[in-house]
Amino acid sequence: MREGITSRQAGILCFLMMMSSKLLALPSILFQETGYFALVIIFILLSFETLLLFIFIKLKEKYINLTFYEILSKILGKIVAKIIYFLFSLYFLLAIVHLIYDNFIYLREAIFEEARIERFLLIFLPVICALAYKGLNSLARTAEFFFVFIVIGIVCCLALGLSSISEFTLPTFENISFGLTFNTLFSYLFWFGDFAFFLIIIDKIKVKNGFGRTIMNYTYFCFLFIFIFYIIFYEVYKNTSFMHNNAITDIIALTNQVGNLEKLNLIALLVVMFTIFYQGGVLLYSLNQSITTIFPKSIKVQNFITFIITIILLFLFFFYSTQKIHVYLEDYGKYLALILFLIVPIYLIFQIIFDKNKKKIKKGVKNEKIN
Amino acid sequence: MFFNVEKNLNYFKSKLNNNFDVSSRTIMVGETKLGLLFIKSLIDKEVFVNSIMSPLLEFEGKNLNFEILENDVLKIFELEKIETDKDVITKLTQNNLIIFIDGEKGAIATDMEKAPVRTPAEPPTSSVIMGPREGFVEDVKSNIALIRMRLKTDKLVIKDFEVGRYTKTKVCIFSIDGISDTALVKKVEKKLESIDIDGVVDSHYILSFLQEGKGLLFKQVGTTEKPDIVVAKMLEGRIAILVDGSPIVLTLPFVFFEDLQSSNDYYTNPLYVTFMRIIRMLGVFLAAILPGVFLSFRLYHYKALPLKYLITVANSTQGLPFSPFVEMVFILVLFQILYEVSLRLPRYLGIATSIVGALVLGDTGVKAGLISSPVVIIIAMSIIAVYTVPEQAPQLTVLRVIFIFLGGTLGILGIVAGMIYFVNEMNTLNFYDVPYLAPYAPRISSDLKDALFKASVTQMEKRPVITKTKNKVRLKK
Amino acid sequence: MKKLISVLIKHPILIVCLIVLIVYTPTALLMPADTSQRAVITRIGIDSAPEGVEVSTIIFVPTPNTSYTENYKLFSAKAENVSLALQKISAYSGKKIALNLTEMIVVNEEISNSDLLEVIDPLSRSTDLGNDTSLICTNQSAKDFLNATLNLNSASDLNIENLVNYSKDKVYNTDSNIESFYQGYFSPQKISVLGYIELTNGETGLSTSGGSSASGSSGEGTSGSGQGQSSGGGEQQKNTTLLNEGRVAVYKEGVLDRVLTQEELKGLNWFNPRCNESYLKVENVTDDIFNNATITFKLLRKKLNINVYFVNGVPVFEGTLKLIMDVDQVSQEDLDSDSLQPELSVVSPELRERINITAKQEFKLVQDLMVEEKLDLVNAYTLFSTYCPRQFKSFLNSLDDSSNFLEYVIFKLKVIPHVSI
């Protein structure tokens, strides 16, 4: 059975990937750097990410059935395409390690008091391997199956957070400069490349009229959620926002207890737990696809074993390092992100606009059969 | 086969090991000698006397042959001329009377069935408050009749097969021409033809062959005991497989959410049905996951429990001799033993078992400090919840054990990982090219009207997409 | 063996199951429940001691029982800081400390006179203890406070946590938890407000001895020797009461500045949108219905609108308060039918005038206090900075001592009362 996902499934994956790590430590980190201006920073970065996805969708509309490698080969040549794919592989690898790191710390603090690394990895890695190994179809369907519950969980968190706000105050932006803004935007670029996976699965999305709109609708939905989340978080904690590293749990910690409802943070925990598996699965799948593109003769099983060993080693390196992974990503990851999410997309934009061989989706394209 | 009647009778008796219930009779009709061969226990004596013996003895002609016998003498509706030895044996074992005519090669087989047959009654697992109460029985002919009574159309296609070297069990595939997917019918036919087994005793034997994976936990073929459900499924585009000797009819293709639908759903208010299906889904989760979650909270995640709940559980479990994991497994095993016993025990001993189960296990065990009441409640809830969807009982029982194991060793993250893993596995399943978790994954909007939520009959205009039927319209407005 | 290996290679998830089975299942089978290895702390009290601090904790002790029973023990330890004291308590109890179910932290005035931020630092850093944990101040020692509340358990609705939760909304003008303390500390004026509950020997207030349906202390046991275990009230239980008279403790830069009196808090609550259920006593009311009456109103709902602006460079802090009230009691020399059953659908101008005067008089008390003590209890600084940043900045620059800015702020309060029908 040929792999292919519907636009709804693609939209759901985009939704889940966009939420990756943005609801944990990032709010407090941004607040520490820029205060309430973090709201503007997050708005700009989310808009940037959405724009990236828009470009990718336009690319898909133009080159309907081609893989991203074929598109790059056509534009830039095979060698450059392989280099870009290598960089993407590096990005996915770092993104997985970042995901594991952030969520291990979070779960250890929230619920697993004596969690050890090996136990967490033993649970997490096999399942994301299974998700990635079994193919995109089943991964997308599983995400589709649990999507409603995840959204309900997020809405509950937002609603409970909203009820925690004692009074709305207008945020004040102090000591803001263009340099600070630019520096912050650049430093956190790595966190906002979640749609890189979209390029890898670009050929596997079934095309029908309005598929781009469907995917963008889910993205806007997520954008709205995240932005409202940040507003609520900063309104709840105001000037102590920098103290709270587990935003999604902390946002409901101060809920006015109606009827002595206790331990509502389980909702946030479940949302995070479900989401990290899909995020890990998508990233690992994308990593595998990238490596397979660079080395077409590689064997799938061996690839996965290599990935697992590499992820474990990288994770241990960052975990036992003197600095947090966030610092490394701020210092070095931003350059990788610059190439992949700024330079390459800009080139792609020009290609989309100025390429003479334009192909448009014919109207009346029939829906593909369920497979 | 011989021309001589005596030789024929002796020959075929010896073929059937000269069993005591294989009887024969030789009579003279006019100047023709006839030999009658039959299995005593299988034939209807009344029909034998009235429809065979009486007409034969009343025949006034001199000579008799097969043609006269068929057309003018015998007052029976089903007659067949057979030529081979194999056919004689087959027909004899299928409740037929074999008639030999001296001097003629071949024989006539007439259906004389009078095997003990149960009256169609309401199946125990598909009770309805309002709606038909007929259920299938073991006799395939009665079952065919029950379906024919409801599908009075010339488009009904029945293909029969004989499966089992010794049992020669009749297996019939039912489909509706123009609605059922012909590719599916052919696929199933091919599978049935390829079965070479010594015997088929129940439809579950056939089910095993129809499965598209080996040793899988998940159910792949639909089962039902009610003719109205079979007809409804066939009208949606599914095919039905009847097996002689079994009241369970198999339907294909099957998706997971079918088992959340009960026969009562189609004869009650749709809003109520939607509510009940959601309860069933909740029951599935409770049955599979609740004990594992409770165990994980007790062992690893006390943080997640509110204070009052923690106090209750901590007090109830203080001083117990077993660790939480062992206690959970112990109570689970006890409940499963009780369940097995209740299935096999004679009814008049059932009361004693209930007393033993309720008082000894539930009450005395807790008071003696061997087990704790929260765990008893959790296991009891889980076991009861299984029967919101009894068709999935085996799967849920196995999943319960797996999740207890995951919760006890890896905590709540292990349970979430297990859930995702199993749902992913279900999503890789495409039995007969139908996604297992359709219409939710992938989402098929038109099929959502009769999945977890139920629309009224007037709103279900099209047949489900998953059955791949070409004739999509079922309700014209 | 070969078959087994081939099956494992075909289904790698079985390898994981095998590892879990071999490595984790034996320990999981024998592992006791998490709760039996933890000392679940429900309340913490912090006093100052010669060594540094004395931390007292109320720890839940599970007792085998099929009915609901709460059994607590008081443990205390002295050490240099809170973190070391908790470690000592862990050693005394023989279990790991579990802070995630802690509902209250009590500090006394003495320790509040030092930097409270330093004292509660380990508690705020702890990932177990949520920042929504109530934090209150008391007059006597926190240990005595906890001892007195040993009988007030969560099963009964008359317990200290309910008292504080009620007060947050209805009495204090603060959430009185760790988060609100930090938010106040990190605000521009660095002012935090915590609830204040007195421990007295009087007869009014929440009595703490006896009357509880579930068991409090273990009954047996004497007070511990030195630091260590003591059961609550091992000696004869004193007749103590918790007096929640509507007082709050004000901290400036983490140090206790003063404890507001009931009257001062009442005056302050005129600029507080919360604290709905309170009372207003208006004296000398003379209008068409009343004649020199003293009327006590019950305040049902408040809607406060605060406006900050500048008039000729002078900051004005204006509050418009819409009140929905109910007539609760009328004291008048000659009660007539009108005053017994007043039909007050619209408040008379005289009554409105009296209410406004009363409100201003009450607020004046706390306004003088704010100016004198330089305590910005109404968040004027934050509001001016938010809504009139430039003007406020230039106003502050024009002052010799910007910390004294409240002296120049004009406070206006307009009360629009309505009586509910």
Side-chain angles (χ1 to χ4, degrees):
Chain A
M1 187 182 64
R2 189 181 163 272
E3 279 195 320
I5 60 172
T6 61
S7 52
R8 183 170 187 266
Q9 288 168 347
I12 287 170
L13 289 178
C14 290
F15 183 102
L16 293 172
M17 290 306 293
M18 201 174 179
M19 270 177 40
S20 173
S21 295
K22 292 188 185 62
L23 305 183
L24 292 177
L26 189 62
S28 65
I29 293 171
L30 281 178
F31 191 86
Q32 202 163 10
E33 281 213 23
T34 57
Y36 283 108
F37 197 67
L39 284 171
V40 177
I41 300 281
I42 196 78
F43 186 85
I44 294 171
L45 286 168
L46 287 173
S47 307
F48 167 74
E49 211 178 8
T50 311
L51 182 65
L52 270 182
L53 182 66
F54 184 75
I55 295 168
F56 298 157
I57 289 172
K58 287 294 165 200
L59 194 70
K60 166 78 177 172
E61 283 176 5
K62 194 175 160 58
Y63 303 103
I64 296 173
N65 289 322
L66 297 182
T67 65
F68 186 53
Y69 178 71
E70 284 162 0
I71 297 168
L72 283 177
S73 304
K74 213 172 152 187
I75 304 169
L76 298 165
K78 286 193 178 175
I79 296 169
V80 177
K82 287 208 174 183
I83 293 170
I84 292 174
Y85 257 73
F86 175 73
L87 292 174
F88 269 115
S89 315
L90 209 60
Y91 168 78
F92 291 130
L93 199 60
L94 286 172
I96 294 174
V97 175
H98 179 216
L99 179 76
I100 299 174
Y101 182 99
D102 264 352
N103 288 287
F104 174 67
I105 303 292
Y106 167 67
L107 288 172
R108 190 177 59 175
E109 286 174 7
I111 198 162
F112 265 108
E113 201 168 291
E114 286 173 8
R116 290 189 188 160
I117 302 167
E118 71 273 6
R119 193 187 283 240
F120 182 78
L121 290 174
L122 189 65
I123 302 168
F124 187 70
L125 288 176
V127 176
I128 63 166
C129 277
L131 288 171
Y133 195 89
K134 299 277 179 181
L136 190 63
N137 269 357
S138 55
L139 174 65
R141 284 182 197 170
T142 313
E144 196 176 12
F145 188 79
F146 283 114
F147 179 64
V148 171
F149 302 108
I150 292 170
V151 169
I152 290 171
I154 297 169
V155 169
C156 284
C157 291
L158 290 178
L160 290 168
L162 201 61
S163 72
S164 309
I165 300 173
S166 50
E167 48 177 315
F168 273 97
T169 51
L170 275 181
T172 51
F173 303 141
E174 291 165 4
N175 302 325
I176 301 303
S177 66
F178 180 75
L180 174 68
T181 312
F182 180 77
N183 198 34
T184 313
L185 288 171
F186 185 36
S187 299
Y188 293 98
L189 203 57
F190 189 93
W191 296 67
F192 291 84
D194 304 307
F195 295 134
F197 83 98
F198 193 89
L199 290 170
I200 307 299
I201 65 164
I202 202 167
D203 59 312
K204 295 180 174 58
I205 301 170
K206 290 175 187 168
V207 174
K208 64 173 190 176
N209 277 337
F211 83 97
R213 199 170 50 241
T214 309
I215 297 172
M216 288 309 294
N217 284 344
Y218 279 94
T219 313
Y220 296 143
F221 197 31
C222 189
F223 186 129
L224 196 66
F225 267 159
I226 295 174
F227 192 60
I228 291 173
F229 181 91
Y230 273 70
I231 293 174
I232 292 174
F233 181 75
Y234 293 141
E235 282 297 330
V236 169
Y237 288 106
K238 301 184 175 61
N239 42 15
T240 53
S241 299
F242 67 94
M243 287 170 65
H244 300 280
N245 291 324
N246 301 323
I248 194 166
T249 310
D250 292 332
I251 203 175
I252 55 180
L254 298 182
T255 310
N256 290 326
Q257 289 185 0
V258 178
N260 273 340
L261 290 170
E262 295 181 63
K263 299 299 167 192
L264 296 167
N265 58 346
L266 205 56
I267 302 170
L269 274 163
L270 287 170
V271 166
V272 169
M273 279 195 276
F274 273 96
T275 325
I276 57 174
F277 285 104
Y278 297 123
Q279 290 161 356
V282 168
L283 288 169
L284 192 60
Y285 176 83
S286 308
L287 175 62
N288 179 50
Q289 292 294 106
S290 313
I291 294 294
T292 316
T293 309
I294 301 170
F295 305 109
K297 290 182 183 170
S298 57
I299 303 170
K300 202 174 180 184
V301 173
Q302 287 176 358
N303 279 354
F304 273 86
I305 294 170
T306 318
F307 297 150
I308 289 170
I309 295 168
T310 317
I311 289 167
I312 292 172
L313 290 172
L314 261 179
F315 173 75
L316 290 172
F317 166 74
F318 284 119
F319 191 74
Y320 290 112
S321 162
T322 47
Q323 286 178 326
K324 285 188 180 177
I325 191 174
H326 307 133
V327 178
Y328 285 104
L329 294 177
E330 275 176 46
D331 291 343
Y332 308 109
K334 60 188 178 187
Y335 298 110
L336 180 65
L338 183 70
I339 300 169
L340 294 176
F341 307 129
L342 209 57
I343 297 172
V344 169
I346 287 174
Y347 193 84
L348 290 173
I349 293 171
F350 282 117
Q351 196 59 36
I352 293 166
I353 296 169
F354 295 116
D355 188 3
K356 290 175 187 173
N357 299 327
K358 283 188 181 179
K359 278 183 190 176
K360 285 189 181 173
I361 299 171
K362 290 178 191 172
K363 285 186 183 175
V365 168
K366 286 181 188 172
N367 292 350
E368 292 204 22
K369 285 181 187 174
I370 305 299
N371 205 7
Chain B
M1 234 183 282
F2 306 99
F3 286 101
N4 183 270
V5 160
E6 300 289 347
K7 271 189 180 174
N8 273 332
L9 291 175
N10 290 333
Y11 173 69
F12 284 109
K13 270 188 182 175
S14 66
K15 274 278 190 183
L16 287 166
N17 301 312
N18 290 310
N19 283 338
F20 75 96
D21 63 341
V22 180
S23 289
S24 63
R25 179 116 182 242
T26 318
I27 55 171
M28 294 298 292
V29 177
E31 288 174 11
T32 316
K33 197 176 188 182
L34 265 66
L36 305 165
L37 185 65
F38 51 91
I39 297 177
K40 270 192 293 198
S41 49
L42 290 179
I43 64 160
D44 187 336
K45 292 175 182 63
E46 216 175 296
V47 173
F48 177 67
V49 165
N50 294 334
S51 303
I52 306 293
M53 290 305 289
S54 293
L56 281 174
L57 293 171
E58 285 165 10
F59 180 70
E60 287 171 355
K62 275 192 178 177
N63 293 313
L64 198 60
N65 60 26
F66 285 124
E67 204 183 319
I68 298 168
L69 206 59
E70 270 179 82
N71 298 330
D72 300 328
V73 177
L74 297 178
K75 292 178 186 174
I76 196 127
F77 63 88
E78 202 175 319
L79 279 174
E80 195 183 335
K81 182 90 193 311
I82 47 180
E83 305 284 348
T84 64
D85 294 3
K86 193 183 169 192
D87 285 341
V88 169
I89 303 289
T90 307
K91 288 294 174 186
L92 203 55
T93 53
Q94 284 177 357
N95 320 323
N96 282 259
L97 168 73
I98 311 294
I99 304 172
F100 299 101
I101 296 180
D102 202 44
E104 303 227 2
K105 202 166 184 189
I108 276 184
T110 69
D111 188 6
M112 302 285 286
E113 184 175 352
K114 202 210 176 218
V117 172
R118 191 162 56 94
T119 317
E122 190 174 36
T125 54
S126 308
S127 306
V128 290
I129 300 167
M130 288 188 292
R133 288 186 170 74
E134 276 179 330
F136 288 118
V137 293
E138 283 73 10
D139 177 35
V140 74
K141 286 184 184 146
S142 308
N143 292 341
I144 292 170
L146 287 170
I147 295 177
R148 279 262 187 217
M149 271 161 50
R150 287 164 174 82
L151 269 176
K152 299 181 179 74
T153 171
D154 57 338
K155 303 284 182 192
L156 180 65
V157 175
I158 307 173
K159 290 186 182 163
D160 65 321
F161 299 84
E162 204 174 83
V163 181
R165 289 192 295 275
Y166 292 91
T167 58
K168 299 197 193 302
T169 309
K170 194 166 186 175
V171 178
C172 303
I173 301 178
F174 276 67
S175 59
I176 300 178
D177 183 30
I179 293 178
S180 308
D181 179 19
T182 45
L184 174 65
V185 174
K186 280 183 185 153
K187 201 172 182 179
V188 172
E189 277 174 21
K190 208 173 165 186
K191 286 199 178 193
L192 289 177
E193 279 163 4
S194 67
I195 299 173
D196 185 13
I197 191 173
D198 48 2
V200 170
V201 173
D202 182 72
S203 55
H204 278 79
Y205 283 64
I206 302 293
L207 188 149
S208 311
F209 287 98
L210 292 175
Q211 290 188 137
E212 285 196 328
K214 287 179 189 172
L216 280 177
L217 177 64
F218 305 108
K219 196 173 153 189
Q220 302 180 40
V221 179
T223 52
T224 180
E225 282 187 73
K226 297 201 73 186
D228 52 307
I229 298 299
V230 167
V231 167
K233 288 193 179 196
M234 285 173 66
L235 287 170
E236 284 182 348
R238 290 182 172 82
I239 64 169
I241 298 138
L242 277 71
V243 177
D244 192 18
S246 174
I248 312 286
V249 169
L250 311 175
T251 57
L252 281 170
F254 174 77
V255 292
F256 176 77
F257 287 97
E258 261 181 68
D259 274 344
L260 292 181
Q261 302 162 353
S262 91
S263 40
N264 210 25
D265 291 353
Y266 297 91
Y267 312 122
T268 345
N269 182 293
L271 283 174
Y272 168 75
V273 169
T274 303
F275 173 69
M276 288 315 296
R277 285 183 183 177
I278 294 170
I279 295 290
R280 282 175 214 146
M281 194 73 213
L282 194 65
V284 167
F285 276 110
L286 285 178
I289 291 163
L290 184 65
V293 168
F294 180 78
L295 185 63
S296 70
F297 280 152
R298 277 194 68 200
L299 286 177
Y300 305 104
H301 310 306
Y302 75 98
K303 281 187 185 190
L305 300 172
L307 181 63
K308 284 181 187 169
Y309 187 76
L310 190 78
I311 289 168
T312 309
V313 171
N315 284 342
S316 311
T317 56
Q318 187 67 20
L320 292 178
F322 302 123
S323 68
F325 201 148
V326 171
E327 184 197 0
M328 175 81 64
V329 170
F330 175 64
I331 296 173
L332 184 68
V333 167
L334 272 176
F335 269 94
Q336 289 297 141
I337 291 172
L338 257 182
Y339 168 73
E340 281 299 306
V341 160
S342 65
L343 280 179
R344 283 163 181 65
L345 212 57
R347 278 197 200 125
Y348 43 85
L349 289 177
I351 299 169
T353 322
S354 308
I355 294 169
V356 165
L359 288 178
V360 171
L361 290 176
D363 199 35
T364 315
V366 170
K367 282 182 182 164
L370 284 172
I371 52 179
S372 64
S373 33
V375 180
V376 170
I377 292 169
I378 294 291
I379 295 286
M381 269 174 68
S382 170
I383 286 182
I384 290 167
V386 162
Y387 292 97
T388 53
V389 185
E391 294 88 351
Q392 291 279 341
Q395 289 79 9
L396 292 175
T397 308
V398 172
L399 282 174
R400 185 196 301 130
V401 172
I402 292 172
F403 280 112
I404 287 175
F405 169 72
L406 283 173
T409 51
L410 300 173
I412 190 82
L413 191 63
I415 289 177
V416 170
M419 276 173 68
I420 291 175
Y421 179 79
F422 280 114
V423 171
N424 194 54
E425 284 296 307
M426 286 159 95
N427 277 317
T428 57
L429 305 173
N430 284 284
F431 303 127
Y432 297 94
D433 295 329
V434 174
Y436 194 62
L437 289 179
Y440 285 103
R443 190 162 170 266
I444 305 168
S445 309
S446 53
D447 290 6
L448 291 174
K449 288 179 184 172
D450 191 17
L452 207 55
F453 303 100
K454 172 94 175 47
S456 91
V457 170
T458 55
Q459 290 170 307
M460 295 197 281
E461 293 160 18
K462 291 197 175 164
R463 293 184 219 281
V465 168
I466 54 168
T467 55
K468 297 195 169 88
T469 175
K470 286 174 183 159
N471 180 356
K472 293 192 191 297
V473 176
R474 57 176 162 184
L475 173 69
K476 288 181 184 170
K477 284 195 174 176
Chain C
M1 193 66 188
K2 273 185 186 173
K3 204 179 174 185
L4 177 67
I5 293 169
S6 67
V7 167
L8 287 174
I9 290 168
K10 210 176 168 187
H11 301 285
I13 201 75
L14 291 175
I15 300 173
V16 177
C17 292
L18 217 58
I19 295 171
V20 171
L21 196 66
I22 295 166
V23 175
Y24 293 109
T25 309
T27 36
L29 280 171
L30 299 171
M31 192 188 294
D34 217 11
T35 46
S36 62
Q37 299 177 84
R38 308 248 171 220
V40 177
I41 294 177
T42 55
R43 293 175 202 141
I44 299 175
I46 308 174
D47 296 307
S48 65
E51 293 89 340
V53 292
E54 182 181 9
V55 174
S56 314
T57 56
I58 290 182
I59 292 177
F60 165 68
V61 179
T63 41
N65 213 318
T66 47
S67 60
Y68 186 85
T69 316
E70 289 184 43
N71 193 15
Y72 296 101
K73 275 190 164 56
L74 181 75
F75 284 80
S76 66
K78 291 179 185 172
E80 264 180 54
N81 55 41
V82 170
S83 180
L84 291 170
L86 285 172
Q87 284 180 31
K88 279 190 178 177
I89 289 171
S90 184
Y92 297 152
S93 63
K95 295 186 182 191
K96 275 187 209 169
I97 295 288
L99 289 174
N100 64 305
L101 290 168
T102 305
E103 292 176 327
M104 177 178 290
I105 302 169
V106 184
V107 293
N108 70 349
E109 284 188 32
E110 197 184 334
I111 199 155
S112 298
N113 287 326
S114 61
D115 188 0
L116 193 61
L117 215 67
E118 217 177 278
V119 172
I120 64 169
D121 184 69
L123 298 174
S124 73
R125 279 180 200 280
S126 164
T127 51
D128 286 349
L129 193 71
N131 277 10
D132 58 331
T133 309
S134 300
L135 178 61
I136 58 164
C137 187
T138 188
N139 56 336
Q140 297 186 23
S141 86
K143 185 176 178 179
D144 290 339
F145 189 98
L146 291 187
N147 220 352
T149 59
L150 208 54
N151 282 338
L152 298 176
N153 51 54
S154 60
S156 158
D157 278 335
L158 274 182
N159 64 49
I160 187 70
E161 285 82 19
N162 279 351
L163 185 69
V164 174
N165 282 336
Y166 173 83
S167 303
K168 282 177 192 176
D169 252 346
K170 313 293 183 199
V171 180
Y172 311 145
N173 64 347
T174 173
D175 279 335
S176 190
N177 54 28
I178 297 176
E179 185 60 36
S180 68
F181 182 78
Y182 274 99
Q183 281 192 2
Y185 182 82
F186 286 109
S187 66
Q189 292 290 283
K190 295 188 178 306
I191 289 174
S192 314
V193 181
L194 296 180
Y196 188 85
I197 297 178
E198 292 175 59
L199 189 67
T200 66
N201 294 328
E203 286 177 2
T204 54
L206 180 61
S207 170
T208 63
S209 58
S212 167
S213 57
S215 69
S217 68
S218 58
E220 79 279 358
T222 54
S223 3
S225 51
Q227 293 90 12
Q229 172 186 325
S230 69
S231 47
E235 297 139 2
Q236 209 165 11
Q237 193 78 356
K238 291 178 192 169
N239 188 21
T240 47
T241 52
L242 301 174
L243 202 59
N244 186 24
E245 277 211 306
R247 301 183 70 187
V248 291
V250 179
Y251 290 74
K252 191 162 185 184
E253 293 183 15
V255 179
L256 179 66
D257 194 274
R258 65 179 292 123
V259 178
L260 295 186
T261 62
Q262 204 179 351
E263 289 73 28
E264 286 165 349
L265 182 62
K266 200 159 177 255
L268 186 61
N269 280 343
W270 284 109
F271 276 99
N272 182 5
R274 290 153 68 171
C275 306
N276 288 342
E277 287 183 20
S278 47
Y279 290 83
L280 170 63
K281 189 172 128 185
V282 184
E283 292 172 344
N284 305 323
V285 178
T286 304
D287 61 9
D288 296 335
I289 301 169
F290 302 104
N291 182 21
N292 200 25
T294 302
I295 308 173
T296 308
F297 290 98
K298 183 178 172 184
L299 304 180
L300 298 176
R301 281 194 300 283
K302 290 159 87 167
K303 193 180 172 192
L304 178 68
N305 211 9
I306 293 182
N307 261 334
V308 294
Y309 51 90
F310 280 80
V311 175
N312 298 327
V314 177
V316 179
F317 190 97
E318 186 181 16
T320 311
L321 183 64
K322 284 184 188 163
L323 281 181
I324 311 287
M325 316 185 296
D326 206 9
V327 176
D328 221 36
Q329 185 171 348
V330 176
S331 303
Q332 189 177 279
E333 271 192 27
D334 304 312
L335 279 173
D336 55 15
S337 62
D338 279 342
S339 51
L340 269 172
Q341 293 286 336
E343 289 179 13
L344 290 176
S345 55
V346 177
V347 173
S348 66
E350 294 84 4
L351 181 55
R352 189 182 300 124
E353 181 68 31
R354 286 304 310 159
I355 289 170
N356 273 282
I357 290 169
T358 309
K360 281 164 190 167
Q361 276 173 350
E362 287 180 359
F363 181 69
K364 188 77 172 62
L365 196 64
V366 80
Q367 184 184 347
D368 292 337
L369 173 73
M370 289 199 300
V371 170
E372 197 181 309
E373 302 286 329
K374 297 179 190 177
L375 293 173
D376 178 10
L377 296 171
V378 292
N379 287 328
Y381 190 104
T382 312
L383 288 167
F384 279 113
S385 304
T386 308
Y387 294 106
C388 320
R390 281 183 198 166
Q391 288 167 297
F392 189 59
K393 203 171 177 182
S394 61
F395 164 72
L396 288 175
N397 288 337
S398 68
L399 298 176
D400 297 328
D401 181 11
S402 60
S403 63
N404 209 18
F405 77 99
L406 282 170
E407 200 181 328
Y408 305 98
V409 174
I410 297 173
F411 285 94
K412 285 186 181 177
L413 177 62
K414 186 180 172 188
V415 181
I416 306 170
H418 297 277
V419 175
S420 82
I421 301 162

